Amino acid sequence: MTDRSDVKACAGEREPDPSDSLRTFGAVVQALREHAGFSRVEFGTMVRYSKYTVESVELGRRMPDERFVERAEEALGNTGALRKAAGHLTRGEPGLAAWFRRWARLERVAVSLCTYECRLVPGLLQPEGYVRAVFDNSVPPLSDDQLEAQVCARLERQRMLYERPNVPFSFIVEEHLFRRRLGGTEVTRGLLDHVLELTAPRNVTLQVMPLDAEFHACLDGPVRLLETPERRRLAYSEGQQNGRLISDAKEVSLLYQCYDTLRSQALNPKDSRDLLERLRGEL
């Protein structure tokens, strides 16, 4: 018979943003259950949780409590696999898209970071007003809680620019993004002031890709590049509602070649700052 107090304990609200570890743990539970030949109903009876809770755990939608883990272990052979895996469970990272989390973790330890953007000013350079303008344009609209989580997560990422003065950060950004008055004139004025401030340190380089450039090496879209402490090069490409971490050495090498070529085609850092200051004066 199902223990209703246990059902309530584990069957509360779904995880708002399931983590990779929750999904992986759930997949292991499902694989072990199916290997043992139990249906979700049968397994739920054995562990004294409803079949709906079992399903939610298996799909990574709920964080299993300690009783679920212990009872699942006993029902599935006491291998120790679930107990060990449960020690690595983490909840989702609010405000970060699921497809971006792995890249965000790599950013924190990278020894170099390069970013080319043609859609929005890069997240690492966005002031709060611009961040809010970006998320105010989300479709469908975000709730107040969702919007605040997104804003906080983006501003938290920016701390690495202050906290890692020995890491080189390189940005190449299309000129039209600074001319577009997303959020209005005041937001744009704050954006230009913020970008000029953040790109002043020696380890942060900003180059603007001018509107009248005759050549362009990154017409396929935005790209991010980084080097890990082990000197491994990785890339990241993002589109509509998805992102892709690129580890294939040949593909990453090609993207580095494109980025290096784009550097030679963009305005140099001094001319880029001069342009932003002129745009700031025009507002």
Side-chain angles (χ1 to χ4, degrees), residues 118-155:
C118 56
R119 306 163 305 171
L120 294 166
V121 172
L124 290 177
L125 299 178
Q126 296 175 5
E128 182 174 346
Y130 187 92
V131 175
R132 291 186 179 278
V134 169
F135 292 124
D136 277 341
N137 281 278
S138 297
V139 178
L142 300 175
S143 68
D144 290 345
D145 288 344
Q146 288 172 325
L147 189 145
E148 290 305 317
Q150 299 271 27
V151 171
C152 289
R154 183 150 299 181
L155 296 178

Side-chain angles (χ1 to χ4, degrees), residues 225 233-235 246-256:
L225 307 164
R233 287 180 163 187
L234 299 170
I246 303 167
S247 58
D248 178 77
K250 289 183 179 179
E251 192 171 356
V252 173
S253 177
L254 175 60
L255 291 172
Y256 264 92

Side-chain angles (χ1 to χ4, degrees), residues 175-194:
E175 179 181 343
H176 72 266
L177 298 179
F178 296 110
R179 291 185 177 276
R180 177 186 295 155
R181 299 192 181 185
L182 184 69
T185 300
E186 286 304 312
V187 169
T188 303
R189 185 178 289 116
L191 168 67
L192 293 169
D193 288 341
H194 190 70

Side-chain angles (χ1 to χ4, degrees), residues 79-275:
T79 64
L82 296 182
R83 291 190 189 96
K84 187 169 291 187
H88 299 283
L89 284 174
T90 59
R91 297 184 183 277
E93 297 170 82
L96 293 181
W99 58 83
F100 185 71
R101 290 178 194 143
R102 188 178 176 192
W103 184 260
R105 290 193 290 270
L106 289 166
E107 277 186 332
R108 297 183 200 126
V109 298
V111 297
S112 69
L113 280 161
C114 299
T115 302
Y116 163 64
E117 258 298 353
C118 56
R119 306 163 305 171
L120 294 166
V121 172
L124 290 177
L125 299 178
Q126 296 175 5
E128 182 174 346
Y130 187 92
V131 175
R132 291 186 179 278
V134 169
F135 292 124
D136 277 341
N137 281 278
S138 297
V139 178
L142 300 175
S143 68
D144 290 345
D145 288 344
Q146 288 172 325
L147 189 145
E148 290 305 317
Q150 299 271 27
V151 171
C152 289
R154 183 150 299 181
L155 296 178
E156 175 67 21
R157 280 184 60 227
Q158 292 182 6
R159 289 177 53 189
M160 72 176 79
L161 288 175
Y162 299 102
E163 295 174 349
R164 310 190 68 201
N166 297 317
V167 173
F169 295 87
S170 170
F171 299 93
I172 303 177
V173 184
E174 293 289 339
E175 179 181 343
H176 72 266
L177 298 179
F178 296 110
R179 291 185 177 276
R180 177 186 295 155
R181 299 192 181 185
L182 184 69
T185 300
E186 286 304 312
V187 169
T188 303
R189 185 178 289 116
L191 168 67
L192 293 169
D193 288 341
H194 190 70
V195 171
L196 285 167
E197 178 185 347
L198 288 184
T199 58
R202 290 192 300 275
N203 66 310
V204 184
T205 303
L206 171 69
Q207 292 181 254
V208 175
M209 193 64 188
L211 289 172
D212 59 1
E214 296 184 17
F215 301 97
H216 199 300
C218 286
L219 292 176
D220 287 338
V223 65
R224 306 179 196 203
L225 307 164
L226 65 72
E227 190 172 5
T228 71
E230 298 77 30
R231 302 302 173 182
R232 186 183 183 197
R233 287 180 163 187
L234 299 170
Y236 176 79
S237 176
E238 189 170 83
Q240 294 281 349
Q241 297 298 307
N242 65 79
R244 183 169 72 101
L245 178 64
I246 303 167
S247 58
D248 178 77
K250 289 183 179 179
E251 192 171 356
V252 173
S253 177
L254 175 60
L255 291 172
Y256 264 92
Q257 290 178 45
C258 291
Y259 191 87
D260 287 341
T261 302
L262 193 66
R263 271 178 166 159
S264 68
Q265 297 166 339
L267 298 177
N268 64 45
K270 181 182 182 305
D271 290 344
S272 296
R273 291 185 65 83
D274 289 345
L275 173 60

